[in-house]
Amino acid sequence: MKLFFHGGGCGDSCCLRVQNLSVKIGTEQILHDVNMHVHCGELVALIGPNGAGKSTFLKAVLGQRDYDGVIAFSAPGQRDRRPRIGYVPQSPTFDPGDPVSVADLFSCCMSKRPAFLGLSKAMRNKVLECLERVHGEDLIDKRVGTLSGGELQRVLLALALEPLPNILILDEPLSGVDVEGMGMLMDMLDEIRKTYDLSILITTHDFSILDKYADQVVLIDHTVLHQGKPQEVLNSEAFANTFHRRGGATV
Ligand code: ADP
Ligand code: MG
C-alpha cells in the first residue's frame, strides 16, 4: 500500500487523488482499477448498487483497509502532513433506552474526564460551539437514542467537524432520514463546504439530490463505471445498465 502526501497539483487546492486502487478482502477482489480525483471544496457522490464496494473504498481512503495502488492527498500549507479526515460512518444505531446524551457523546470523544462526572462549563461551551456548526445547539441535552435520523446525522457531522478536517467523508448520510431532513442535511453540507472550503465525499442511493448538490458523481460497481457531472452519469448507459435493468433506482 502506498500513501503519498504532496503540496501543489490541482491548481494548489487540496485534493484526493486515487490511482489504480484495488482492494482484496481474503481472496475476494472487492475493488480494482479505481481512479478518482477530488478537488478542494468539491462534493463528490459515490453511487452504486449494494455490495459495489463504496464503503470499502471509503475505508481505504481512511486508512482502515489495506489496498494496492495510490491514495494521495494534498492540502495547501500541509506539505508532508497527513490531512485531517472527518468521518461519519454508515447508520450507527443507539438504543432509545440508553441514557447517553449528546453532551455525553461529545464528552466521551473530546475529553478524558469520565462522563459520569458531568460536563465542565468550558466543555459544555465547546460542545455548544461544535453543535452550532450544524445548527444543533438545542440537541445538547437530548438522549442520542431518541434523535431522529436527521438529528443524529447532524450530531455525528458536528463530531466529525471537530477538529476541522480537510476532507469530510459520510457513508450514506441520507439513509434513515426523511425527505425534509435530507434537504436540510444537504443544505448544511453545502454551507459547511463553502464556509470551510472542505472536500466532501459521500455515498448515497438518493439520486434526486445529485443534480443540486454534487459537483461530481462516480458510479462504482467494483470499479469505476462512469464519472462526471451528475446529469452525465445519470444519463449514461452504465447507469441504465446498473440500475434500470436491475431495478431499485431512486431518481
Ligand atoms: P457497499 O458499501 O457498496 O454496499 P461494501 O464496500 O460494504 O459495499 O462491500 C463490498 C463487498 O465487500 C461486499 O461483497 C461485502 O460482502 C464485502 N465485504 C465488505 N467488508 C467485508 C469484510 N469485513 N469481510 C468480508 N467481506 C467484506
Ligand atoms: Mg456501504
Side-chain angles (χ1 to χ4, degrees), residues 25 28 30 49-56 65 90 222:
I25 300 181
E28 202 183 338
I30 309 294
N50 286 326
K54 301 180 296 298
S55 297
T56 302
R65 273 259 167 260
Q90 187 171 348
H222 301 288

Side-chain angles (χ1 to χ4, degrees), residues 25-212:
I25 300 181
T27 54
E28 202 183 338
Q29 189 80 48
I30 309 294
L31 292 169
H32 63 92
D33 301 315
V34 174
N35 292 286
M36 196 183 303
H37 222 156
V38 178
H39 291 270
C40 189
E42 245 188 13
L43 189 141
V44 176
L46 293 184
I47 62 170
N50 286 326
K54 301 180 296 298
S55 297
T56 302
F57 174 81
L58 297 184
K59 284 183 184 152
V61 172
L62 286 160
Q64 294 176 1
R65 273 259 167 260
D66 284 344
Y67 59 87
D68 286 312
V70 176
I71 296 178
F73 302 96
S74 74
Q78 291 216 10
R79 203 182 178 89
D80 301 327
R81 271 184 51 199
R82 191 184 169 81
R84 282 201 199 99
I85 305 180
Y87 176 52
V88 177
Q90 187 171 348
S91 322
T93 48
F94 295 89
D95 190 333
D98 204 325
V100 175
S101 71
V102 170
D104 295 333
L105 184 65
F106 271 83
S107 174
C108 292
C109 297
M110 290 165 55
S111 158
K112 292 198 176 91
R113 185 181 156 110
F116 64 83
L117 289 179
L119 229 56
S120 69
K121 192 151 185 225
M123 179 52 87
R124 190 175 170 87
N125 286 338
K126 178 80 194 158
V127 174
L128 282 170
E129 232 173 74
C130 292
L131 287 170
E132 206 181 330
R133 289 184 179 143
V134 297
H135 310 305
E137 301 96 307
D138 57 320
L139 301 176
I140 189 164
D141 293 316
K142 288 205 172 176
R143 278 188 287 146
V144 179
T146 63
L147 297 176
S148 72
E151 286 171 340
L152 178 60
Q153 282 297 323
R154 274 157 62 205
V155 166
L156 297 173
L157 177 58
L159 267 176
L161 290 172
E162 182 55 38
L164 272 176
N166 304 104
I167 300 174
L168 184 60
I169 289 179
L170 302 98
D171 200 355
E172 296 202 20
L174 302 177
S175 64
V177 177
D178 60 28
V179 176
E180 196 188 337
M182 268 185 211
M184 210 173 143
L185 194 62
M186 290 311 300
D187 282 341
M188 191 164 289
L189 284 178
D190 209 37
E191 180 188 321
I192 284 165
R193 119 188 127 112
K194 283 178 189 145
T195 308
Y196 303 110
D197 205 19
L198 293 181
S199 304
I200 300 181
L201 197 52
I202 69 166
T203 62
T204 185
H205 290 285
D206 281 285
F207 307 142
S208 60
I209 59 105
L210 297 176
D211 205 29
K212 182 167 177 196

